[in-house]
Every structure is written in structure tokens, then in C-alpha cells.
Amino acid sequence: MDFPNFLRIAVVPLRYAVELDFDEKSRPSLSGGLEANIINLLSTTLGFEYEIFPAKDKEWGRLRDNGTWSGVIGMVYRNESDIGLGYLSVTTNRSEVVDFIPYSTEENTFATRLPPFLSPVTEYTYPFEKEVWVAFAFAIFFTPIVFKVITSNNVSIPSLAAEMIGCLLRQNLNIPIKKARDMFLMGSWLIFASILSFCYVGVLLSSVSVPLREKGIRTIRKLSEGVSDGKFKCFANRGSVGIALLKDSFDKDLQMIGKHIIEKNWISEDKTLKFPKTIEKSVALLGPRTFFRLEYGEKPFTTKYIFEESVSFSNVGIAVNKNFCCKERLNMVIKRFVETGIIKKLYNNILFETQHGLELEDDLSSSYTAMNFDDFKDEFLLLGIGYVLSFFTLFFEIIHPLP
């Protein structure tokens, strides 16, 4: 059977996937996007013309309470269109009413704004965690006592402590060595102090060059705790399969997030896959990783954090009416597009354009510049305080000299 020379195509307008233009008579036409480019390639390859029918409810397709289907899936199922597009996820209940020709896979995940930079006032504490600082304090306090007990010299504990702290600051160690055990004890402290000092300086310099950020929420477990405590919100697009996946998940954290999204109606009113340019503080977005990359960019040129964990994996494909005559031929052509890397190339072209646009818009390429005085003002402030304290100490010693 020859492939039909005309197709009715149902779509839900999506940025980067199916972008539409309208003429003076409000007739839609494809203007760009991944699936728009796929349709144009199919039209050229199979020799058909087409007409675009946007879904009036702007939904992908969900089973309503009354048993009817909404969105693109509903239009294909009711034979109002031959095929449907809109970056549709292949699900079990959707596959019962329409057929799918998959061409890619997708992950649903979360995205948040990057946490703020750590305060420069306390940047000297950044290189080590609290546990390291506590252990370090214990070492400074107890080591001089242990050395005093074990070593055979007559150096006082305060003097030992001063020498050991000076060693950490890369000063010479001026403690007399009389026996072999003294050598091993002092040597062990020298090695410890050297490693600790170099690690501290290395991390501190890197934090000055590229400022560190707060940890923020970076895992599903932490997000679930934040949502449960009322400290975080999680928004999703209306009609997204991700909401149902969260609700029906076996993971308790995902169930908790899905429950709050539904109960508190954290659902967009646009009914379309659309992400804000700026994510508010204490807000996470649920959506496809592919679109997060297109919308917000990738590290290091981004101000958003895309979770490394995934909520779900699913196939993405074109919905086809079950009575469509030429599914096998359409499937064969799309399969060739996938195998030859054409679809991947189309996606990479869009990704390159969006990344370039983000760099120009946000001037992210100039985020890393030469360090200026503002980067070191706290260091100079501490230096000035040290000079002032030294002056007052000298003045006090002149007035009240030590016996």
C-alpha cells in the first residue's frame, strides 16, 4: 500500500520540540523544534503533505475521570488526526488506545536554582568539614601534652604548642631532638602538618579563584525532606506523566513529593511544557532532563542545578492511530533516522544554538575573570587588624615592660 499523500498531525506546542507560527487567518505551521524537523524530514522522504492541529486543551494526553482522553492522545484515539507529536512519553495506558513509534528515551528529574555562594567572611573555614576542624582542635590540644610526656626534653607545654602551630603555618620547628623517639614523634608531626597545610592552602586558593557554593538540595531524599517539612516546593507541568509516576512510585521519597504536588496543586496553569527562566528560591521543577539541558544549559555555564538522580526512564515517540494504514513503513523510516544518527544530530544542533544563546544572554563566558581587590579585601582587612593589634601590643610592652 502506498503511503498516503496527506496526514493530519495533532501537536501540543512545546519550546524546542514543536514550535508553531500562525498566519493572518490563525492557521498554524511548524516553525522549529526537534519534532518539527523530524516531520519535515519524513515529509520529504515519504512524499506527503500535512496539516497541523494544535490540541485545544494543550495537553499531552491523560485519561479523565469520565473515561475520555485529553490532549494529543485523545485526538489520535478519536481519529481526529493520524499521528500526534509533543515529545510524548510512551506509557502502558496510552499504548492501549494508540500505537507508538519510539525514537528516543527520556529521564524525568528535578531542577533547582544553584545555591548561593558561601559568605567570604568565613571563607577560611571552607576547606575542611566540621569534623575535620574538631579533630584538628583535639590534635592541637592533646598532642603537646603527649609529646611532653613521651619526649626527653625540658620544653614546656605552651612552647611545644606554639612550635607545633608554627609548623602548621610553615615555620621552622625549633625543638631540640635528643633521642630517636623524639625524632619519630617530631617527624610524624611534621608530616601531618605538611599534608594538612598543603591541603588547606590548595582548597583555599581554589575557593578564592572559583567561589564555593552552599550544599543546597541535590538529592531526591533531601528534596523529599524539604517538601515534607514545608521548606521546599516542587512544581510540575499539567498533564505531565511525571506526576503519576511520582504518585505510583515504589520509592517513599518520590511518593511523598508526588502527594504534595497533587494535594497542594503545585501544577502549572499553562498546560504546556514551559520552564521559567528564573527558578525561585526553595523551588524545584519536575521535568525531562533533555529540556532542562536545552532551557538552562550545562555546567559550568548555568545558574541551575539539574539532579543527577532520575525519577523515571521512558521511551519518547510519535503517537499513531491504531487504524493507520502505513505504520510499518513509517516505523522503518524513523528507525533509519535513529540508526544513522540523524535525530541525534538534530537535537545536538538545537542544543548548540540554545547554549550559545545562553552564553550571549547571560554573559556566562565572562564569569571567570582575573581576581581583583574585592576578592582579597577580607585578607587585607585581617592584615590591617593584625598590624593594629601588633602596634597596641608594642605600645603596652613599652609602658609595662616584662620583668
Side-chain angles (χ1 to χ4, degrees):
M1 180 180 293
D2 293 335
F3 198 88
N5 56 14
F6 180 81
L7 291 183
R8 300 165 299 164
I9 302 177
V11 301
V12 54
L14 307 175
R15 185 158 53 186
Y16 307 124
V18 183
E19 298 177 356
L20 301 179
D21 275 340
F22 294 87
D23 60 16
E24 62 279 359
K25 296 183 179 180
S26 299
R27 291 176 299 192
S29 61
L30 299 175
S31 62
L34 175 61
E35 291 189 330
N37 293 334
I38 292 175
I39 286 298
N40 289 328
L41 279 176
L42 289 172
S43 175
T44 302
T45 304
L46 296 172
F48 66 85
E49 295 182 353
Y50 57 85
E51 185 175 354
I52 301 298
F53 295 89
K56 294 181 180 179
D57 55 11
K58 297 182 180 180
E59 289 195 16
W60 292 275
R62 59 185 174 86
L63 185 61
R64 300 188 183 101
D65 295 335
N66 59 8
T68 62
W69 280 88
S70 67
V72 171
I73 299 298
M75 295 177 67
V76 176
Y77 171 60
R78 294 187 296 271
N79 198 30
E80 297 173 7
S81 63
D82 300 302
I83 64 175
L85 301 173
Y87 208 72
L88 299 169
S89 295
V90 181
T91 64
T92 302
N93 58 349
R94 286 178 177 178
S95 298
E96 293 176 355
V97 294
V98 299
D99 289 330
F100 281 97
I101 300 178
Y103 65 84
S104 182
T105 58
E106 184 56 88
E107 305 172 52
N108 276 300
T109 187
F110 299 100
T112 62
R113 66 189 296 179
L114 282 175
F117 290 111
L118 291 168
S119 172
V121 177
T122 57
E123 65 184 4
Y124 293 102
T125 64
Y126 298 167
F128 298 143
E129 296 283 349
K130 293 180 180 178
E131 296 79 5
V132 178
W133 283 116
V134 172
F136 174 70
F138 273 101
I140 289 294
F141 181 80
F142 287 107
T143 303
I145 300 175
V146 173
F147 276 36
K148 177 62 178 177
V149 173
I150 296 177
T151 57
S152 57
N153 55 53
N154 296 322
V155 181
S156 64
I157 291 178
S159 297
L160 279 172
E163 290 291 339
M164 291 178 176
I165 294 174
C167 186
L168 288 168
L169 300 175
R170 301 186 182 181
Q171 296 179 1
N172 294 330
L173 188 62
N174 298 316
I175 297 178
I177 304 296
K178 296 181 180 181
K179 296 184 179 181
R181 66 172 181 268
D182 298 349
M183 182 185 301
F184 283 112
L185 284 171
M186 293 300 107
S188 65
W189 180 259
L190 280 172
I191 294 173
F192 168 79
S194 299
I195 294 175
L196 202 69
S197 177
F198 281 115
C199 291
Y200 178 85
V201 171
V203 177
L204 182 62
L205 288 176
S206 66
S207 68
V208 173
S209 302
V210 181
L212 300 177
R213 293 182 181 272
E214 297 178 4
K215 285 187 176 181
I217 290 183
R218 297 175 179 264
T219 64
I220 292 175
R221 170 64 60 83
K222 291 294 184 182
L223 178 60
S224 174
E225 293 174 357
V227 170
S228 179
D229 295 339
K231 298 178 181 179
F232 233 81
K233 296 181 180 180
C234 185
F235 290 97
N237 284 286
R238 188 175 300 277
S240 170
V241 297
I243 301 175
L245 292 172
L246 290 176
K247 178 184 175 184
D248 300 332
S249 174
F250 292 103
D251 186 274
K252 293 183 179 179
D253 294 323
L254 294 178
Q255 289 180 11
M256 175 67 69
I257 297 172
K259 177 183 176 181
H260 278 76
I261 290 176
I262 296 172
E263 290 182 352
K264 299 187 178 182
N265 197 30
W266 290 338
I267 301 173
S268 67
E269 298 180 357
D270 295 337
K271 301 182 181 180
T272 59
L273 183 59
K274 182 180 180 182
F275 299 120
K277 286 292 184 181
T278 302
I279 302 178
E280 296 181 5
K281 184 180 180 181
S282 301
V283 167
L285 303 179
L286 171 66
R289 186 182 300 276
T290 297
F291 280 85
F292 282 146
R293 292 175 64 199
L294 290 172
E295 189 70 57
Y296 299 129
E298 297 179 297
K299 296 186 294 186
F301 303 111
T302 181
T303 57
K304 311 299 185 294
Y305 177 74
I306 302 173
F307 282 33
E308 295 182 2
E309 296 176 294
S310 298
V311 173
S312 63
F313 293 85
S314 61
N315 288 321
V316 175
I318 298 175
V320 183
N321 185 276
K322 285 188 174 290
N323 297 321
F324 185 67
C325 63
C326 305
K327 284 183 286 188
E328 292 185 1
R329 189 173 179 189
L330 183 62
N331 181 58
M332 179 186 67
V333 175
I334 292 178
K335 187 176 180 180
R336 288 178 180 174
F337 287 171
V338 174
E339 292 174 345
T340 55
I342 292 176
I343 291 181
K344 185 176 181 180
K345 179 65 167 58
L346 293 174
Y347 172 77
N348 287 337
N349 289 344
I350 297 174
L351 180 63
F352 175 78
E353 292 175 1
T354 57
Q355 301 301 294
H356 182 63
L358 285 172
E359 291 182 23
L360 293 177
E361 179 180 344
D362 298 330
D363 196 23
L364 292 172
S365 58
S366 61
S367 297
Y368 302 98
T369 59
M371 291 183 290
N372 53 38
F373 180 78
D374 288 337
D375 298 317
F376 294 99
K377 60 184 179 181
D378 297 316
E379 287 79 1
F380 283 109
L381 177 61
L382 289 175
L383 179 63
I385 293 174
Y387 286 159
V388 172
L389 291 176
S390 299
F391 173 79
F392 280 109
T393 303
L394 174 62
F395 181 75
F396 181 79
E397 289 180 345
I398 294 173
I399 298 176
H400 299 283
L402 295 175

PDB file of all heavy atoms in Angstrom, residues 152-166:
ATOM      1  N   SER A 152      62.087  13.515  75.846  1.00  0.00           N
ATOM      2  CA  SER A 152      63.049  13.641  76.953  1.00  0.00           C
ATOM      3  C   SER A 152      63.568  15.063  77.128  1.00  0.00           C
ATOM      4  O   SER A 152      64.524  15.285  77.874  1.00  0.00           O
ATOM      5  CB  SER A 152      64.236  12.695  76.705  1.00  0.00           C
ATOM      6  OG  SER A 152      64.841  12.989  75.451  1.00  0.00           O
ATOM      7  N   ASN A 153      63.011  16.058  76.413  1.00  0.00           N
ATOM      8  CA  ASN A 153      63.498  17.432  76.562  1.00  0.00           C
ATOM      9  C   ASN A 153      62.698  18.174  77.629  1.00  0.00           C
ATOM     10  O   ASN A 153      61.667  17.689  78.108  1.00  0.00           O
ATOM     11  CB  ASN A 153      63.439  18.177  75.221  1.00  0.00           C
ATOM     12  CG  ASN A 153      62.054  18.143  74.603  1.00  0.00           C
ATOM     13  OD1 ASN A 153      61.082  18.500  75.250  1.00  0.00           O
ATOM     14  ND2 ASN A 153      61.957  17.693  73.350  1.00  0.00           N
ATOM     15  N   ASN A 154      63.175  19.357  77.943  1.00  0.00           N
ATOM     16  CA  ASN A 154      62.568  20.153  79.013  1.00  0.00           C
ATOM     17  C   ASN A 154      61.713  21.300  78.496  1.00  0.00           C
ATOM     18  O   ASN A 154      61.479  22.270  79.210  1.00  0.00           O
ATOM     19  CB  ASN A 154      63.670  20.705  79.929  1.00  0.00           C
ATOM     20  CG  ASN A 154      64.411  19.585  80.644  1.00  0.00           C
ATOM     21  OD1 ASN A 154      63.810  18.592  81.044  1.00  0.00           O
ATOM     22  ND2 ASN A 154      65.731  19.749  80.785  1.00  0.00           N
ATOM     23  N   VAL A 155      61.250  21.230  77.263  1.00  0.00           N
ATOM     24  CA  VAL A 155      60.425  22.288  76.679  1.00  0.00           C
ATOM     25  C   VAL A 155      59.040  22.243  77.320  1.00  0.00           C
ATOM     26  O   VAL A 155      58.443  21.173  77.491  1.00  0.00           O
ATOM     27  CB  VAL A 155      60.326  22.123  75.152  1.00  0.00           C
ATOM     28  CG1 VAL A 155      59.485  23.251  74.555  1.00  0.00           C
ATOM     29  CG2 VAL A 155      61.703  22.080  74.534  1.00  0.00           C
ATOM     30  N   SER A 156      58.503  23.404  77.672  1.00  0.00           N
ATOM     31  CA  SER A 156      57.188  23.477  78.311  1.00  0.00           C
ATOM     32  C   SER A 156      56.076  23.178  77.313  1.00  0.00           C
ATOM     33  O   SER A 156      56.249  23.272  76.093  1.00  0.00           O
ATOM     34  CB  SER A 156      56.972  24.857  78.928  1.00  0.00           C
ATOM     35  OG  SER A 156      56.945  25.845  77.917  1.00  0.00           O
ATOM     36  N   ILE A 157      54.920  22.835  77.867  1.00  0.00           N
ATOM     37  CA  ILE A 157      53.770  22.515  77.012  1.00  0.00           C
ATOM     38  C   ILE A 157      53.349  23.728  76.168  1.00  0.00           C
ATOM     39  O   ILE A 157      53.092  23.583  74.961  1.00  0.00           O
ATOM     40  CB  ILE A 157      52.600  21.998  77.870  1.00  0.00           C
ATOM     41  CG1 ILE A 157      52.948  20.625  78.445  1.00  0.00           C
ATOM     42  CG2 ILE A 157      51.319  21.913  77.043  1.00  0.00           C
ATOM     43  CD1 ILE A 157      51.876  20.042  79.344  1.00  0.00           C
ATOM     44  N   PRO A 158      53.256  24.954  76.722  1.00  0.00           N
ATOM     45  CA  PRO A 158      52.912  26.110  75.873  1.00  0.00           C
ATOM     46  C   PRO A 158      53.912  26.317  74.745  1.00  0.00           C
ATOM     47  O   PRO A 158      53.533  26.666  73.624  1.00  0.00           O
ATOM     48  CB  PRO A 158      52.907  27.278  76.852  1.00  0.00           C
ATOM     49  CG  PRO A 158      52.602  26.664  78.172  1.00  0.00           C
ATOM     50  CD  PRO A 158      53.296  25.332  78.150  1.00  0.00           C
ATOM     51  N   SER A 159      55.195  26.103  75.026  1.00  0.00           N
ATOM     52  CA  SER A 159      56.206  26.271  73.985  1.00  0.00           C
ATOM     53  C   SER A 159      56.054  25.203  72.907  1.00  0.00           C
ATOM     54  O   SER A 159      56.184  25.479  71.708  1.00  0.00           O
ATOM     55  CB  SER A 159      57.609  26.206  74.587  1.00  0.00           C
ATOM     56  OG  SER A 159      57.799  27.264  75.502  1.00  0.00           O
ATOM     57  N   LEU A 160      55.783  23.953  73.342  1.00  0.00           N
ATOM     58  CA  LEU A 160      55.535  22.886  72.372  1.00  0.00           C
ATOM     59  C   LEU A 160      54.333  23.214  71.481  1.00  0.00           C
ATOM     60  O   LEU A 160      54.371  23.036  70.264  1.00  0.00           O
ATOM     61  CB  LEU A 160      55.290  21.567  73.108  1.00  0.00           C
ATOM     62  CG  LEU A 160      56.515  20.787  73.593  1.00  0.00           C
ATOM     63  CD1 LEU A 160      56.080  19.623  74.474  1.00  0.00           C
ATOM     64  CD2 LEU A 160      57.336  20.279  72.412  1.00  0.00           C
ATOM     65  N   ALA A 161      53.261  23.694  72.111  1.00  0.00           N
ATOM     66  CA  ALA A 161      52.058  24.047  71.345  1.00  0.00           C
ATOM     67  C   ALA A 161      52.353  25.159  70.348  1.00  0.00           C
ATOM     68  O   ALA A 161      51.921  25.108  69.187  1.00  0.00           O
ATOM     69  CB  ALA A 161      50.947  24.460  72.299  1.00  0.00           C
ATOM     70  N   ALA A 162      53.112  26.174  70.778  1.00  0.00           N
ATOM     71  CA  ALA A 162      53.448  27.279  69.883  1.00  0.00           C
ATOM     72  C   ALA A 162      54.276  26.784  68.698  1.00  0.00           C
ATOM     73  O   ALA A 162      54.067  27.206  67.543  1.00  0.00           O
ATOM     74  CB  ALA A 162      54.189  28.363  70.646  1.00  0.00           C
ATOM     75  N   GLU A 163      55.253  25.903  68.968  1.00  0.00           N
ATOM     76  CA  GLU A 163      56.092  25.375  67.894  1.00  0.00           C
ATOM     77  C   GLU A 163      55.281  24.537  66.905  1.00  0.00           C
ATOM     78  O   GLU A 163      55.475  24.620  65.693  1.00  0.00           O
ATOM     79  CB  GLU A 163      57.220  24.526  68.490  1.00  0.00           C
ATOM     80  CG  GLU A 163      58.279  25.323  69.234  1.00  0.00           C
ATOM     81  CD  GLU A 163      59.117  26.172  68.294  1.00  0.00           C
ATOM     82  OE1 GLU A 163      59.158  25.870  67.085  1.00  0.00           O
ATOM     83  OE2 GLU A 163      59.722  27.162  68.769  1.00  0.00           O
ATOM     84  N   MET A 164      54.358  23.750  67.420  1.00  0.00           N
ATOM     85  CA  MET A 164      53.551  22.890  66.545  1.00  0.00           C
ATOM     86  C   MET A 164      52.590  23.707  65.685  1.00  0.00           C
ATOM     87  O   MET A 164      52.380  23.418  64.506  1.00  0.00           O
ATOM     88  CB  MET A 164      52.784  21.869  67.389  1.00  0.00           C
ATOM     89  CG  MET A 164      53.691  20.821  68.024  1.00  0.00           C
ATOM     90  SD  MET A 164      52.792  19.667  69.067  1.00  0.00           S
ATOM     91  CE  MET A 164      54.130  18.554  69.516  1.00  0.00           C
ATOM     92  N   ILE A 165      52.001  24.728  66.280  1.00  0.00           N
ATOM     93  CA  ILE A 165      51.132  25.601  65.498  1.00  0.00           C
ATOM     94  C   ILE A 165      51.951  26.349  64.445  1.00  0.00           C
ATOM     95  O   ILE A 165      51.520  26.524  63.299  1.00  0.00           O
ATOM     96  CB  ILE A 165      50.393  26.587  66.422  1.00  0.00           C
ATOM     97  CG1 ILE A 165      49.429  25.827  67.335  1.00  0.00           C
ATOM     98  CG2 ILE A 165      49.644  27.642  65.615  1.00  0.00           C
ATOM     99  CD1 ILE A 165      48.749  26.695  68.377  1.00  0.00           C
ATOM    100  N   GLY A 166      53.142  26.792  64.814  1.00  0.00           N
ATOM    101  CA  GLY A 166      54.022  27.438  63.842  1.00  0.00           C
ATOM    102  C   GLY A 166      54.394  26.521  62.708  1.00  0.00           C
ATOM    103  O   GLY A 166      54.516  26.952  61.555  1.00  0.00           O
TER     104      GLY A 166
END
